[in-house]
Amino acid sequence: MADLDGVWNVRRVSGALPPLVGVRKRIAGDRGETSVGGVQGIPFDVRGLELRYRAPFAFLVDRLEPDGTGFRGYATAFGRTFGEFELRRSPVADLQAQLVKHIDEAHALEQNVLRMLDGMIQTTDDPEILDRLEHHKLETQQHATTMKRRLESHGAEPSMVRQAAGMLEALMKMPLDLVRGEKAGRNARDAYATEHLEIASYQLLRRVAEHAGDEETAAACQEIIEQERAMAQFVEDNWDRFAEQSLREQGIAV
């Protein structure tokens, strides 16, 4: 549940709960964990507004209700409530949550680009262009791996967010494109647009990472940006070639 994503400070309200000093809940998509002092904690699954703990604590369920800018929680065991607590965000937690969100979107974006590159490779006949696409596919695979590792460093896992998938919806290669006669121009257009979308996404992520003090992610973004720029420049340098191939595919002599 998107509204729950992030890191939450936990404060005891009543019941048989301990003081909960230093307790936090970290939530990303349909999973999360409860920890003390940043140490890896007890994992749970998110089901709507319920946090269902995993074995051997499967008898514990936290039920949540919206409460202003946070949530009121009811700790239950075997279906019975034994304490109440509240969840509140902190500015630092919000910044970390935004960083994780942007890294997750970058990872999802790379997965979509990989699928698009596969479509381009299938419909490319020019040996030099094919070689450049296959080389960039290897780079893109490494980009996806890097973003996955950066997510893991923040205790999160890829969620394949819909936002990033939607960003490439207009650029993805559809099955119809694979059987159309004119391929070179479409491939060049899609590659050029996608590279600039990736550059923009990593420029934003780099700055968010810098604000969050995540130097490794910021450095990884800069390296990826340079590779995306190089791919965009390759397309830029070959527009005449792509146009001529496109016309030939339509039976137009040039």
Side-chain angles (χ1 to χ4, degrees), residues 100-111:
V100 168
K101 174 186 174 183
H102 282 284
I103 297 174
D104 193 25
E105 288 179 355
H107 179 267
L109 185 59
E110 295 293 1
Q111 295 297 322

Side-chain angles (χ1 to χ4, degrees), residues 80-244:
R80 293 190 175 185
T81 301
F82 65 88
E84 295 183 24
F85 59 91
E86 65 177 17
L87 301 182
R88 293 289 182 267
R89 296 185 189 271
S90 69
V92 173
D94 283 345
L95 179 56
Q96 289 297 316
Q98 285 299 309
L99 174 59
V100 168
K101 174 186 174 183
H102 282 284
I103 297 174
D104 193 25
E105 288 179 355
H107 179 267
L109 185 59
E110 295 293 1
Q111 295 297 322
N112 282 320
V113 172
L114 281 171
R115 287 190 287 272
M116 190 185 72
L117 285 170
D118 282 337
M120 290 179 174
I121 289 170
Q122 291 177 40
T123 58
T124 297
D125 299 321
D126 186 296
E128 182 181 352
I129 296 173
L130 182 60
D131 181 70
R132 189 66 182 87
L133 289 173
E134 289 177 338
H135 174 74
H136 193 55
K137 180 180 178 180
L138 293 176
E139 291 180 331
T140 302
Q141 289 171 334
Q142 184 57 51
H143 300 168
T145 298
T146 298
M147 289 301 105
K148 183 174 185 294
R149 288 174 178 166
R150 298 313 305 147
L151 274 176
E152 292 170 347
S153 75
H154 290 280
E157 295 182 10
S159 65
M160 298 306 294
V161 288
R162 294 180 181 180
Q163 294 96 321
M167 292 165 69
L168 270 182
E169 185 176 355
L171 301 175
M172 289 295 291
K173 302 299 292 180
M174 301 300 290
L176 184 59
D177 282 344
L178 301 180
V179 298
R180 285 173 173 163
E182 190 263 309
K183 302 183 291 291
R186 293 178 184 275
N187 284 345
R189 175 202 64 193
D190 292 351
Y192 193 71
T194 301
E195 293 311 313
H196 285 87
L197 174 59
E198 289 188 276
I199 290 168
S201 298
Y202 281 110
Q203 289 282 19
L204 180 59
L205 173 55
R206 180 171 69 83
R207 286 161 175 79
V208 172
E210 289 172 348
H211 280 292
D214 185 349
E215 295 181 1
E216 286 191 49
T217 296
C221 287
Q222 189 57 45
E223 182 177 348
I224 291 172
I225 287 169
E226 293 306 316
Q227 292 178 348
E228 306 297 4
R229 282 175 173 163
M231 183 62 188
Q233 189 62 50
F234 173 80
V235 178
E236 179 103 16
D237 293 340
N238 286 276
W239 276 123
D240 289 340
R241 182 185 201 174
F242 292 128
E244 290 173 2

Side-chain angles (χ1 to χ4, degrees), residues 16-61:
L17 291 169
L20 302 181
V21 176
V23 174
R24 287 186 173 182
K25 293 184 185 294
R26 184 188 299 271
I27 300 174
D30 61 356
R31 65 190 67 188
E33 67 173 20
T34 299
S35 62
V36 180
V39 179
Q40 185 172 0
I42 305 173
F44 55 75
D45 296 314
V46 180
R47 297 291 182 268
L49 287 176
E50 291 188 344
L51 312 180
R52 301 184 180 183
Y53 288 85
R54 301 176 188 172
F57 302 104
F59 59 91
L60 296 175
V61 177

